[in-house]
Amino acid sequence: MMTRGMTNIVKTTTRLICGVIFIFGIYLVSHGHLTPGGGFAGGTVMAGAFILLVLAFGDDVKHLRKTEEGSSTLENLAILLFLLMGVAGMLFGANVFFKNFLEAGTMGELFSAGVIPFLNILIGIEVAAALFTVFLAFVIFKEEEK
Amino acid sequence: MEVLIAIIIVLMIAGSIYTLHSRDLLSAVISYGITGFGLVICFLLLQAPDLAIAQILVEIITLIIMISVIRISTREDVTERSTIHIKGVRYINMRTAAYIVTGAVFMIALLYFFMDATVLLDPFGVHQVRMSAAYMEVGAAITGSANLVAGVLFDFRAYDTLGEATILITAVIGILTVLRLKGRR
């Protein structure tokens, strides 16, 4: 039987740190309005966790293609919701595109700064899905060439 | 300034119309450059030098990439002589002369507007805090965001962020399209 992916050392290390990397990405995105980081940085970290999984364990092309379809759809949905948030600012706020229409709240709390955390999360999802989609596209292209 | 921008926009429109109707791909790409460089001058006139720098870089890079693509792909050459001999008498091809005159006029016009636009800018090395001062003073209070970078990125400049996300999605669509060509065959 042909073993897929890399050696056992890499697989075990990946199993240990992959979840930590993903949670760190979620932290960066969700605390983007409080601490350094944000949607772009956190999304890249989250995509890194997925890319590490695919690199270490490998997958067959059929399943990869299904995953790519899912991540591509997620990416499109995220940017659509981002745009709708801007339109919502126009509807509820003072007719300004991307108006911060929610209450600012107390500075320093997790639920503060109005729409900024939501926009951060959407951008994080968008960046993560986009990078993962690009990576998967290249992997599928390489696998099909064999 | 509005008059200058209007003139530049007319030049840009003329360049893009020629791009649509030109026979030669290379001249189409070069006349397409008028649009980009006209936009650079518009940005300079509107006192946005950082945008102008980004635009001029993007314009030059895309021009180089497009010209290299045309060089290695099927370029449809229009062979046209600058002079025509009829019964031993040499006539100058009027269309070639018109091309040369138009090119020179466009170059001089763009150079003139460029010189005109750079006069308005701050001297080299002098910084401007028109916008930044206001952001730093009231940014945290208005947005309620402890991280001022996120506050600027997603509140004051959320429209910019939408553009960045659009660039990302366009890149993904492009990569998927290019890589799928193989599967369709």
Side-chain angles (χ1 to χ4, degrees), chain B residues 3-4 7-9 30 33 37 54 62 71 73 123 138 148 158 165 167:
Chain B
V3 180
L4 281 183
I7 295 169
I8 294 168
I9 287 173
I30 289 169
F37 288 113
T62 47
R71 273 175 62 88
S73 69
V138 296
L148 190 56
I167 290 170

Side-chain angles (χ1 to χ4, degrees), chain B residues 1 4 8 37 40-49 52-53 56 109-124:
Chain B
M1 189 191 286
L4 281 183
I8 294 168
F37 288 113
V40 171
I41 295 167
C42 283
F43 282 146
L44 282 178
L45 282 172
L46 295 168
Q47 309 248 315
I53 293 168
I56 208 164
L110 285 182
L111 194 67
Y112 170 73
F113 288 128
F114 186 73
M115 302 282 278
D116 208 41
T118 46
V119 169
L120 292 168
L121 295 178
D122 304 315
F124 188 71

